[in-house]
Amino acid sequence: MISEKVLKALEYDKVLSEVAKFAVLEDGKSALLQSVPLSELSAVKLLNDKTAEAIQLLFAYNVSQIPYSSPVKDEIERAQVGGTLNFTELLRISAALRSARVVKTSIANVKDENIKIIREISERLFTDKALEDDINEKILNEDTMADSASFRLSSIRKQIRTINARIRDKLNSYIRGANKYLQDNIITVRGDRYVIPVRAEYRSNVKGFVHDQSASGATVFIEPEQIIEYNNELKTAMIEEANEIRRILQELSARVALDAQNILWNAENLTEIDVAYAKAMYSYNNKCMYPSIGEHGKIEILKGRHPLISADKVVPVTVKLGENYNFLLITGPNTGGKTVTLKLTGLLTAMMMTGIFVPCAEGSSLSVFNDIFCDIGDEQSIEQSLSTFSSHMKNIIDILNRVTDKALVLLDEIGAGTDPEEGSGLALAVIEALLEANCFGIITTHYSKLKEYAFGNPKIENASMDFDTKTFAPLYKLNIGIPGSSNAIEISKRLGLNPKIAEKALSFLSDTKVSFENILRQAEESRNRADKLSRELEVTAHEKRQELEEIRKERERLAEELEKISRNVKTETRRQVNEKVFEAEELLEEIREIAKKESISGTDIITARKLKNRLEDKKYVLEEKPQEKLFDMTQADFDSLKAGSKVYSQKLGAEAEVVRVLPQKKQAEIRMGVMTAIVNANDLLTMKKFEAAPQKKPVQISRKVERSAPQAEINVLGQTVLEGVQNVESFIDQAIVNGLEEVKIIHGVGTGKLKAGIWEYLRKDKNVKEFRSGRYGEGEKGVTIVTLK
């Protein structure tokens, strides 16, 4: 079990305080604050699965949090031993029952088979809606019981109201008669008995029982003898009321006692759900995620954020260990983030082992450890007369005595606080002991010997906190695989140290130390340049990939659009041809019918002429040939192609012009309108027009026509507008053929629709000069007189 001292050093208790803020129940808050990391893999996964289910319930299915209810353990225990609960205590019991019922119902309504753990807990919740409702109906608030709590209570209270009214009536009557003796004309109460305020000097004039006296002694409160009996009745009724209320409370308390154990179990189950909900709320609000969980020491924190640092200030850190090496040795300048990274690793591990999701990126993984050890910060003990170094060594000795291969060890500034030569040697020995124990962890240091050691041991990997090589400002980024330089002198200069003093400090360094630090600094500068170039190349590559993807999508869109246009053109062409052919066939059939007649009238001639004219309108369609028959398509000779050649692209389904020939790739760039495309040679066809077939001479049909006597009027009464207009049109044509100048159309009055349709036609007919309604004697509005050109 991880010690409380370690958890406090990692600031685990502060995280628990933040999580507890999301708990609703007091027991839930208390349980969270007392939470400790578990060390068994299955138990840890269960906790995290529970948190994941809680997130689903709260944020995917909008299940409400647990309704608040106070702890009821004390009330339950009193009820169990036969105690009578008061109004407030019973209302708390009702609230606890309601919380359980609401939670159970809301989770039961979620039809998701993946919600198993919390559903199982909710199904254990006990509900007693009848008791819950009885308490709420009988107890109105913490001071009042409802009249309807029992029939007897209702009857007693009605009796009390009646007595009260009678007493007030009696006293009001008395006051009117003894007004001169009273201090005030009011009725008041002393000790549950009605009294009146009488001036002290007239107390002998008012017969009755004295109950009280004012502080000044000027007023005495007397119960007149006329109402003593009434007050007695009232007192008796009030005692009966109190007894009845007590009886109801005892009855409700007895029912609570019957459910006592179930309600206590409810408190435990609701607390467990409340804790899961609080972890879910914290994890969701802080953008935490469910990491992959193992038990083999692997830690891979991707863009981890310290949960106690403000989101607008925190710098994400990536930490990896436990796969190819057991330990990270982090070096670099002070205030660069070494300690924060070390504590972050331990804190996120502890959070995961408690079922709290961790603030890092997807794909992160953590391991469950049997114990976490750490030695962080200045732990000088005045009480034990221990120096900083002694305190650190005491911790390290304790760690070495207890460490196992399933432990996580976090050591900050190992070997510090004593002679550097001895401190680095001691640190190396401790590291070797930890590596032999096959445990895992992170160590921070400034010692160069440790950096050199890490280069030669595969179980420990160098790492450094990034910094700006020009300004020496920390960048809070962990670089794994590269040791860092402390840059203490340069940082001191940046903080304001006199440059002469800094130069003097540099002169005191050994040549080996200076050389090693220079090599590290040059390596750091080279790596930063490489990183910058790599990032720029990644950005450029990303942009180019996006451009290529946009070009590909645009080509696909244009090809689809072209295909769509081609299909639409072909479809529309077929539709128009079929439509025109059908219409032409109908016209020819009508002409044939006229030709079959033995005697052809003038009207027939006009109709035939009009049909012929309409047939001429369709001629261009009938003479058309489909596009594929207008040209002879053959495979294009690629060697003879050149810019400007006209070709047909099978891919585009249209005629195009060659822009340029690409002989090496056997391809050509072609243009169709504003669009260009590169196609293979076998896609191109040459087009040669067919020779126009000789036209046949039109067949002339001659027929003897017998003219009938011209008609000067037409009767269209009773016809539809369409029939009437068609007949008038033929009538006008015949009148023109016969040379008539004026004709009459008989259409009647009726609704006026037939006349309106005919007049509309006459307005458009170029052969009509003018028209009007008939005058008196001509048929008036029932006829139309038409003058022809």
Side-chain angles (χ1 to χ4, degrees):
M1 184 175 177
I2 303 171
S3 73
E4 185 177 346
K5 181 180 177 182
V6 169
L7 294 175
K8 192 172 183 62
L10 295 175
E11 299 179 289
Y12 171 81
D13 55 325
K14 294 181 180 179
V15 172
L16 290 185
S17 296
E18 291 299 313
V19 179
K21 291 178 181 178
F22 293 97
V24 173
L25 306 177
E26 293 176 27
D27 287 346
K29 293 180 185 293
S30 177
L32 278 166
L33 293 174
Q34 296 174 23
S35 297
V36 293
L38 303 182
S39 57
E40 187 178 339
L41 180 63
S42 59
V44 171
K45 285 187 174 181
L46 182 66
L47 283 178
N48 283 273
D49 287 344
K50 196 186 301 181
T51 304
E53 287 188 8
I55 289 176
Q56 281 293 102
L57 287 169
L58 293 173
F59 301 103
Y61 298 109
N62 296 317
V63 171
S64 61
Q65 279 194 276
I66 299 172
Y68 175 78
S69 61
S70 300
V72 292
K73 183 179 179 181
D74 292 342
E75 288 83 348
I76 293 296
E77 290 178 351
R78 284 212 303 113
Q80 282 182 306
V81 296
T84 300
L85 305 181
N86 59 33
F87 292 174
T88 301
E89 292 168 334
L90 285 168
L91 288 174
R92 287 178 181 172
I93 297 293
S94 175
L97 287 170
R98 178 180 177 276
S99 292
R101 177 174 55 81
V102 170
V103 170
K104 185 170 187 174
T105 303
S106 62
I107 295 174
N109 289 335
V110 175
K111 307 302 180 184
D112 186 344
E113 294 181 357
N114 294 319
I115 308 295
K116 298 177 180 177
I117 304 169
I118 297 182
R119 189 188 304 280
E120 182 182 345
I121 300 170
S122 69
E123 288 173 351
R124 298 199 297 261
L125 291 171
F126 168 78
T127 60
D128 190 340
K129 184 85 165 43
L131 177 57
E132 179 190 337
D133 289 344
D134 277 352
I135 293 173
N136 289 332
E137 290 170 4
K138 293 180 179 181
I139 301 174
L140 300 180
N141 52 52
E142 295 182 353
D143 301 309
T144 310
M145 181 169 282
D147 292 355
S148 58
S150 74
F151 177 79
R152 176 165 172 73
L153 182 61
S154 175
S155 176
I156 292 171
R157 286 184 172 174
K158 184 184 291 185
Q159 181 185 357
I160 290 172
R161 286 192 291 271
T162 301
I163 296 171
N164 277 324
R166 281 158 52 190
I167 292 174
R168 286 185 173 276
D169 289 344
K170 193 72 174 175
L171 285 176
N172 284 329
S173 175
Y174 186 86
I175 288 172
R176 285 193 293 271
N179 187 42
K180 61 181 180 179
Y181 306 130
L182 303 181
Q183 189 76 0
D184 293 299
N185 294 333
I186 61 171
I187 300 170
T188 185
V189 177
R190 288 292 186 273
D192 294 334
R193 299 182 78 87
Y194 284 96
V195 295
I196 55 176
V198 179
R199 294 178 184 176
E201 61 267 28
Y202 296 117
R203 63 185 299 174
S204 59
N205 297 96
V206 178
K207 294 182 180 181
F209 185 79
V210 177
H211 282 273
D212 199 2
Q213 181 176 324
S214 66
S216 64
T219 305
V220 291
F221 297 93
I222 298 175
E223 178 184 2
E225 62 181 9
Q226 292 91 333
I227 65 163
I228 289 176
E229 190 57 37
Y230 289 132
N231 270 335
N232 290 340
E233 289 182 23
L234 179 61
K235 184 68 174 178
T236 301
M238 293 175 68
I239 292 171
E240 290 178 356
E241 178 192 30
N243 289 336
E244 179 61 15
I245 290 173
R246 189 179 302 108
R247 186 194 65 79
I248 295 170
L249 293 176
Q250 287 175 343
E251 181 184 286
L252 292 173
S253 300
R255 291 173 63 184
V256 169
L258 292 175
D259 294 339
Q261 192 57 52
N262 289 325
I263 297 174
L264 287 176
W265 286 336
N266 272 359
E268 294 177 8
N269 292 321
L270 285 174
T271 297
E272 189 172 354
I273 294 175
D274 190 35
V275 167
Y277 280 0
K279 292 177 182 177
M281 294 281 286
Y282 173 86
S283 300
Y284 184 84
N285 288 350
N286 288 279
K287 297 181 174 60
C288 300
M289 52 80 62
Y290 191 163
S292 174
I293 301 174
E295 59 178 348
H296 302 296
K298 180 183 177 182
I299 293 177
E300 187 170 4
I301 299 171
L302 306 178
K303 296 181 179 179
R305 310 181 306 279
H306 197 290
L308 299 176
I309 300 177
S310 176
D312 57 346
K313 295 181 181 179
V314 67
V315 179
V317 177
T318 295
V319 180
K320 297 181 181 180
L321 65 92
E323 189 167 14
N324 299 320
Y325 47 86
N326 288 24
F327 271 83
L328 272 180
L329 181 72
I330 304 178
T331 53
N334 289 324
T335 70
K338 300 191 301 296
T339 304
V340 171
T341 301
L342 179 142
K343 292 174 70 173
L344 170 73
T345 304
L347 180 57
L348 297 194
T349 300
M351 288 170 63
M352 173 273 296
M353 291 166 64
T354 315
I356 305 169
F357 286 2
V358 292
C360 52
E362 291 289 338
S364 298
S365 60
L366 293 167
S367 278
V368 175
F369 294 96
N370 287 346
D371 210 338
I372 298 177
F373 300 102
C374 74
D375 181 68
I376 302 172
D378 187 356
E379 297 185 5
Q380 185 172 358
S381 174
I382 298 175
E383 293 85 356
Q384 298 180 25
S385 300
L386 296 176
S387 67
T388 300
F389 174 75
S390 300
S391 178
H392 285 312
M393 282 311 302
K394 188 173 183 300
N395 281 343
I396 291 173
I397 292 168
D398 182 60
I399 291 170
L400 293 175
N401 290 334
R402 296 168 53 200
V403 73
T404 66
D405 61 350
K406 293 187 179 300
L408 177 66
V409 180
L410 308 169
L411 302 180
D412 189 31
E413 300 295 349
I414 185 171
T418 188
D419 175 72
E421 192 72 22
E422 290 186 6
S424 60
L426 191 59
L428 280 175
V430 171
I431 290 174
E432 284 197 347
L434 292 173
L435 295 180
E436 288 176 7
N438 209 28
C439 57
F440 304 85
I442 298 176
I443 298 171
T444 69
T445 185
H446 288 287
Y447 292 144
S448 297
K449 282 188 177 180
L450 272 62
K451 304 174 191 177
E452 296 169 11
Y453 177 80
F455 274 122
N457 194 315
K459 284 190 174 184
I460 184 169
E461 180 67 77
N462 269 309
S464 59
M465 300 307 300
D466 206 356
F467 64 96
D468 190 308
T469 55
K470 294 181 179 179
T471 65
F472 295 96
L475 301 177
Y476 305 105
K477 178 185 175 185
L478 182 66
N479 296 315
I480 296 176
I482 302 174
S485 174
S486 297
N487 298 307
I489 297 174
E490 294 295 340
I491 291 173
S492 298
K493 286 170 65 178
R494 185 170 64 84
L495 294 174
L497 181 67
N498 189 307
K500 291 183 179 180
I501 299 175
E503 290 296 326
K504 193 71 172 175
L506 281 172
S507 69
F508 289 138
L509 296 179
S510 66
D511 294 341
T512 304
K513 171 70 176 176
V514 172
S515 175
F516 185 70
E517 291 295 326
N518 287 336
I519 291 171
L520 288 179
R521 190 175 296 110
Q522 291 170 6
E524 185 69 15
E525 290 174 356
S526 299
R527 186 192 60 76
N528 284 342
R529 286 195 298 270
D531 283 350
K532 182 180 179 182
L533 181 61
S534 176
R535 287 193 297 269
E536 290 175 354
L537 289 174
E538 285 180 4
V539 170
T540 303
H542 180 68
E543 291 175 350
K544 294 302 179 185
R545 283 195 296 270
Q546 284 186 324
E547 289 178 8
L548 289 173
E549 182 64 17
E550 289 174 2
I551 292 171
R552 184 187 65 78
K553 289 181 179 179
E554 182 64 16
R555 282 186 176 179
E556 290 179 355
R557 188 189 67 78
L558 289 173
E560 291 176 1
E561 190 68 22
L562 183 62
E563 179 65 22
K564 182 179 178 181
I565 292 172
S566 177
R567 287 197 305 269
N568 290 343
V569 168
K570 291 178 181 179
T571 302
E572 181 62 17
T573 301
R574 284 196 297 271
R575 187 191 68 76
Q576 290 186 9
V577 168
N578 291 338
E579 185 180 286
K580 297 296 182 183
V581 168
F582 180 74
E583 292 177 2
E585 288 178 350
E586 284 188 329
L587 295 173
L588 287 171
E589 183 61 29
E590 292 184 34
I591 292 173
R592 292 191 191 99
E593 291 296 324
I594 293 172
K596 290 178 182 178
K597 293 183 179 180
E598 294 181 359
S599 175
I600 300 176
S601 64
T603 302
D604 292 335
I605 292 173
I606 293 170
T607 302
R609 176 168 60 82
K610 291 171 68 176
L611 291 172
K612 178 177 176 296
N613 290 338
R614 290 169 64 185
L615 187 59
E616 286 295 324
D617 292 340
K618 316 296 178 187
K619 184 176 180 181
Y620 76 94
V621 175
L622 295 174
E623 290 178 350
E624 264 187 353
K625 290 185 176 64
Q627 184 176 353
E628 57 269 22
K629 294 184 180 179
L630 294 177
F631 298 94
D632 181 18
M633 301 287 188
T634 58
Q635 186 68 46
D637 183 4
F638 184 77
D639 295 332
S640 64
L641 288 178
K642 59 183 180 180
S645 299
K646 300 294 183 182
V647 293
Y648 181 87
S649 170
Q650 300 178 71
K651 181 178 180 181
L652 300 179
E655 185 179 355
E657 179 183 345
V658 176
V659 177
R660 61 191 174 108
V661 179
L662 306 172
Q664 293 180 345
K665 297 182 179 181
K666 277 283 186 176
Q667 293 178 327
E669 184 180 353
I670 60 174
R671 179 191 296 115
M672 187 188 73
V674 297
M675 186 179 75
T676 61
I678 295 178
V679 298
N680 294 326
N682 57 12
D683 176 67
L684 301 177
L685 304 175
T686 55
M687 301 184 298
K688 181 180 179 182
K689 288 190 175 182
F690 281 115
E691 294 292 333
Q695 294 184 347
K696 294 182 180 180
K697 293 183 178 180
V699 178
Q700 296 183 347
I701 302 174
S702 61
R703 191 97 182 225
K704 183 179 179 181
V705 178
E706 295 181 0
R707 294 182 180 271
S708 57
Q711 300 291 325
E713 68 178 40
I714 183 172
N715 189 334
V716 292
L717 281 169
Q719 297 180 8
T720 64
V721 175
L722 182 60
E723 292 172 342
V725 170
Q726 288 179 343
N727 290 330
V728 167
E729 183 182 0
S730 300
F731 170 68
I732 295 294
D733 287 341
Q734 185 178 3
I736 291 171
V737 171
N738 291 329
L740 298 179
E741 293 182 359
E742 187 177 90
V743 294
K744 179 192 289 187
I745 302 171
I746 303 170
H747 46 65
V749 179
T751 61
K753 290 183 179 180
L754 180 58
K755 178 182 178 180
I758 293 172
W759 278 36
E760 182 66 26
Y761 160 73
L762 293 175
R763 289 190 190 96
K764 297 177 182 178
D765 194 328
K766 296 178 180 180
N767 295 314
V768 175
K769 183 178 182 180
E770 60 182 10
F771 58 92
R772 59 178 174 79
S773 295
R775 299 188 182 95
Y776 180 77
E778 291 178 331
E780 300 181 6
K781 295 182 179 180
V783 302
T784 296
I785 306 300
V786 182
T787 303
L788 303 173
K789 293 181 179 180

